[in-house]
Amino acid sequence: MKCSIYTVGGKDFSSLVGELLEKCGGDEKIVRLVFWGSPRDNQEYRNQKRELERQVHAHFGKCCPAFSYIAQRPLTADLAVEVHRVDASFEGEVVYKVYRNLPYVLLRGRSYRELIAGGMSGRDVDSPVRKQAEEAMEQMRAVLVEEGFAVDAIVRQWNYLERITEFDGECQRYQAFNEARSSFYASATWNNGYPAATGIGMQWGGVVIDFTAVKTEGPECRSVPLDNALQIAAHAYSQQVLLGKLSADLGKITPKFERARVLESGNERMIYVSGTAAIRGEQSLTEVGVLPQMGITLENINYLISGKNLQSKGVAGEGVLLMIRVYLKYPDDLEAVEAYIGGQLAGLPVIYLLADVCREELLVEVEGIARIKV
């Protein structure tokens, strides 16, 4: 998989979309697009999403990739897109499909099948979070069933949630989402761990979910969950760090995801790095400012994809980042964080986005994709 980031600015929304699509091109096999913009409210979000859908379908025709529109303000542009392409060396088949107006892509390799989907959402962005999440996950289930994938075939999930840390009554919105996710996941055994995942805020847009699922069909292909010795697994958090009202007799539901996930097929190996923040054990690093949090976050990621940590899971080699997304709580932190990352990861493709992290005290979160170098 090859990843690119394009940004544009200075025009009306429709013209910006057209300019981005021209940058994407149409000859290479694009499988996923994630667009980021800054609508002023949910009505404008709906209008922009419709225009985006119109242009993407017109541009790609029958070879339309999975795509989503995320209401997180790009901090260095007016509109941005992340593009995932199948590398030219891929010897399998790329099949473009549609399920009830939702385009998705099926990759058929020699020993695996990969399902790439996005833009799952609730019917009404103003309805309760739990309802929107359940509706989005039913769309996920339908696509998985259509292609013969089990729920526990999901290896990477992106969960975007409007006003993630706020409360609706006694229930925190992120906690309501976690309850819906746990219920959805309950139909599977998860013997090989949960997906890598990101749970991140949006300014508008309700609930949006993107995901990738993999079904292995040979011994040379495998999916491996990665823990991080510096952090407690999110699905093992104690009740003390979870917010909101208890869920019946189950207590507060933990976020169900792994710190990262390795995918291997022959000589091709990559790592999906989950949304990572300045958390050690299960406690946030607080009252220190954005740069110390940024430093701890990168330390967490570097250890996660290190040869030592990979070897502990029977994976040879060292992880090397291919691209990252940086989510910032405050736009005024951009200059300092951009300079810091430029010094630490010079030349790496980066997109900077305005978004609340899933804990109110956290100022920055980073996710990414890495390859494994032997």
Side-chain angles (χ1 to χ4, degrees):
M1 197 72 68
K2 294 165 58 180
C3 301
S4 304
I5 296 168
Y6 302 114
T7 60
V8 292
K11 300 179 182 178
D12 64 276
F13 183 81
S14 181
S15 298
L16 291 174
V17 173
E19 188 175 343
L20 277 183
L21 290 174
E22 287 302 315
K23 287 176 179 283
C24 292
D27 297 331
E28 295 181 270
K29 293 177 179 176
I30 295 174
V31 295
R32 186 190 300 282
L33 300 170
V34 184
F35 292 87
W36 291 283
S38 51
R40 291 168 293 185
D41 54 33
N42 269 330
Q43 184 55 53
E44 186 169 61
Y45 173 81
R46 294 184 189 96
N47 293 340
Q48 291 181 349
K49 184 181 177 184
R50 282 193 291 268
E51 175 61 15
L52 181 66
E53 290 171 346
R54 183 189 70 79
Q55 290 201 43
V56 171
H57 283 289
H59 184 84
F60 290 101
K62 293 182 179 180
C63 296
C64 188
F67 69 94
S68 54
Y69 181 42
I70 309 303
Q72 294 170 336
R73 176 157 71 91
L75 291 172
T76 59
D78 292 323
L79 194 67
V81 66
E82 182 180 290
V83 184
H84 294 193
R85 294 179 173 89
V86 173
D87 190 88
S89 63
F90 179 62
E91 298 177 350
E93 185 180 10
V94 182
V95 184
Y96 295 91
K97 295 193 170 189
V98 178
Y99 182 85
R100 295 184 179 178
N101 297 321
L102 276 174
Y104 66 96
V105 182
L106 187 66
L107 304 183
R108 295 183 179 134
R110 284 183 305 219
S111 58
Y112 72 96
R113 290 190 299 141
E114 183 171 352
L115 176 61
I116 299 168
M120 279 64 186
S121 60
R123 286 186 285 271
D124 180 3
V125 297
D126 295 316
S127 64
V129 168
R130 177 75 184 254
K131 184 173 187 293
Q132 290 188 63
E134 289 171 346
E135 291 169 351
M137 290 175 198
E138 280 308 307
Q139 293 174 23
M140 294 172 64
R141 189 192 306 277
V143 174
L144 288 165
V145 169
E146 182 78 8
E147 296 299 335
F149 284 70
V151 171
D152 55 10
I154 300 171
V155 296
R156 183 60 164 104
Q157 189 168 322
W158 292 266
N159 309 296
Y160 306 99
L161 179 58
E162 180 184 335
R163 297 181 290 112
I164 188 170
T165 60
E166 293 185 17
F167 282 71
D168 293 332
E170 294 182 301
C171 187
Q172 189 201 42
R173 294 170 65 84
Y174 185 48
Q175 187 63 32
F177 177 86
N178 285 331
E179 291 178 8
R181 174 167 51 181
S182 290
S183 178
F184 175 65
Y185 282 0
S187 64
T189 57
W190 301 102
N191 292 327
N192 191 33
Y194 292 109
T198 300
I200 197 72
M202 297 189 291
Q203 284 82 62
W204 305 101
V207 173
V208 180
I209 299 175
D210 297 347
F211 75 94
T212 296
V214 172
K215 189 173 184 179
T216 59
E217 298 169 340
E220 69 274 25
C221 183
R222 63 174 180 159
S223 172
V224 181
L226 276 186
D227 293 321
N228 188 338
L230 303 178
Q231 297 179 294
I232 292 174
H235 51 79
Y237 281 161
S238 71
Q239 295 288 293
Q240 285 68 40
V241 298
L242 304 173
L243 300 179
K245 186 179 180 181
L246 298 178
S247 174
D249 297 326
L250 301 177
K252 301 169 189 174
I253 303 298
T254 56
K256 300 296 191 291
F257 70 93
E258 307 294 343
R259 295 298 178 188
R261 197 156 197 104
V262 174
L263 297 181
E264 291 186 307
S265 178
N267 294 324
E268 297 298 322
R269 299 183 299 165
M270 63 174 289
I271 308 172
Y272 279 124
V273 178
S274 297
T276 305
I279 297 173
R280 284 295 168 86
E282 63 176 10
Q283 299 297 327
S284 303
L285 182 69
T286 61
E287 300 179 0
V288 294
V290 70
L291 288 184
Q293 284 199 9
M294 187 73 240
I296 292 295
T297 298
L298 288 186
E299 283 181 20
N300 286 339
I301 291 174
N302 289 336
Y303 180 85
L304 184 67
I305 66 175
S306 68
K308 176 182 178 181
N309 197 46
L310 291 172
Q311 186 177 12
S312 72
K313 293 295 184 179
V315 178
E318 186 89 14
V320 178
L321 287 168
L322 296 177
M323 57 80 61
I324 58 173
R325 299 181 191 174
V326 178
Y327 302 101
L328 290 172
K329 185 179 179 72
Y330 298 116
D332 289 347
D333 288 334
L334 172 64
E335 184 177 356
V337 171
E338 194 172 20
Y340 183 86
I341 289 179
Q344 297 289 318
L345 301 168
L348 188 72
V350 184
I351 181 71
Y352 295 91
L353 302 158
L354 183 66
D356 284 333
V357 185
C358 62
R359 295 186 186 183
E360 189 68 41
E361 67 273 15
L362 293 173
L363 306 175
V364 60
E365 181 168 316
V366 178
E367 65 166 86
I369 297 174
R371 65 179 174 86
I372 300 176
K373 181 177 67 174
V374 178

